[in-house]
Each structure stands twice: as C-alpha cells, then as structure tokens.
Amino acid sequence: MQTSACLCEGAPWLYHGRFVTPSGSEMEEPRSETMSETVPFRCERCGEIVTLTVDEPARSCTNCGSAELAPLEIPPPDAGATSAEDGRIDEREAPPWLADPRALLGEPGEYICFEDGGEVVVVPLTREWTRIGRGLAADVRFDDPTVSRRHALIVRGADGLRVLDDRSLNGVFVNGARVEWSPLTHGDEIRVGRHRLYYAVLEPADAPAATAP
C-alpha cells in the first residue's frame, strides 16, 4: 500500500532556507510561547491541542469551539523510568544526508527530517509541541494505517525537546527501543508506524556542534 506524508495547513516547513506553508506562501517564523505562561489542553471532541494562559477565563477549543478540554499530561523531567535510556537499542544506520546538518538544514535550529518519495522533508520545531499522526489535526501527517490518528507528540520543555507516545496503537520507538517518552538528542531516530524520522540540530556557527549519543 502506498503511503504519503504531508504537513497540515498552517504548519511551517523549511524549503531553501525559507519558512513556507504547504500552499506555498511565505510566513514569518512562528513564535513559541513559554511553558511557564501557558498550560496545554486537549479537546475531547476533536483532539486539537490548545494552549491557554493560566488566568484565561474562557476556555474553548480554537478548532471546534468545544469547552470539553482536558489537561494534557506531560511526564516530568525526572520520570526517567519511562524514557528510552534503559534498554536503548542503537543498531540502526543513520541516513547519509544526516551526516552534514549544515548542508541539510541551512539555518540554526531544531528539526525533524524524514524521507518521502525520494525527497528529504525538513520540519522546523519552533512550536511548543509538534503533533505527528494520521489525523487531520496532525502537524506532520502520514496517510498510513500503521500510524495512529494521534501517534506522537514532540514537546518543548525547560529541559529540552522530548517525544511522547500519544496513546498510539503501534507505539513510538526511539533508536529501536519502544518508549512512552524520551528526551531527544541530535541524530535520534523516531519510528512511528513504518516511518522513520530523525531529530537534527544545527548549532550557530560559534557554538559547539551537537553530537549523537
């Protein structure tokens, strides 16, 4: 069965050093809100993730308008028992295009990269979270039955970026080990269904380069 990947409308991706939407129009780099000022919620009706300020009186889904919002549970940084640090399997070979982050990425930042139809798709991780799945609300969407509608979340916290299993059917694997969540470092392979994505970091020219574990 042929599968396809897409970036949903409004989700920015990098093409020749510019942030563009899937429709082709240029946009400014989105600004991410700080975790200390906002609280994430999930809409129980449509699955949308909504960021609300702590003192915001009216709480409703920005996608469907529902007030049925449940707090999104994000494991604390010290919950290491559920991470990939224990039993990590690192026997995979990184794709050759990941060996030169500067040529691949162009601009300093954090990215998720994957191959689709013989091309490398590069997704900037500039938001508080990035949703990966088969559903229409996903920021990175795979039209593939091996991928759940809500499969994984990449969440930005004070301790860096982490990937979380978003109650998927087939699980999330980091470097071959199934995880509930795991911190991410440059070169990590994230597998959702039959798809392999890679976390890549390009440091500024005057900063030391990140290395894979």
Side-chain angles (χ1 to χ4, degrees), residues 60-205:
S60 61
C61 176
T62 55
N63 183 52
C64 69
S66 172
E68 301 177 21
L69 302 180
L72 183 65
E73 297 182 3
I74 300 177
D78 57 354
T82 60
S83 76
E85 296 302 320
D86 297 328
R88 183 183 291 254
I89 304 172
D90 196 358
E91 299 178 350
R92 87 278 190 251
E93 291 186 6
W97 43 261
L98 194 60
D100 188 357
R102 191 163 300 278
L104 173 68
L105 306 175
E107 297 181 356
E110 298 167 293
Y111 302 83
I112 284 293
C113 313
F114 59 94
E115 295 185 37
D116 180 47
E119 297 181 349
V120 179
V121 180
V122 178
V123 184
L125 299 175
T126 56
R127 297 177 175 180
E128 192 172 339
W129 54 74
T130 300
R131 299 162 293 189
I132 303 172
R134 194 180 74 248
L136 297 178
D139 300 307
V140 179
R141 181 171 175 262
F142 295 99
D143 186 13
D144 185 332
T146 67
V147 178
S148 299
R149 288 193 310 113
R150 299 195 300 259
H151 201 113
L153 285 170
I154 297 178
V155 180
R156 183 179 300 280
D159 59 329
L161 287 176
R162 292 179 282 168
V163 61
L164 283 68
D165 188 336
D166 196 11
R167 297 174 290 181
S168 68
L169 177 63
N170 292 325
V172 173
F173 295 78
V174 175
N175 299 333
R178 184 165 184 169
V179 301
E180 293 182 23
W181 74 271
S182 176
L184 293 174
T185 57
H186 176 75
D188 278 349
E189 176 194 274
I190 305 167
R191 181 155 55 88
V192 295
R194 70 184 72 187
H195 302 275
R196 300 176 186 271
L197 303 86
Y198 296 88
Y199 173 63
V201 179
L202 179 59
E203 301 284 357

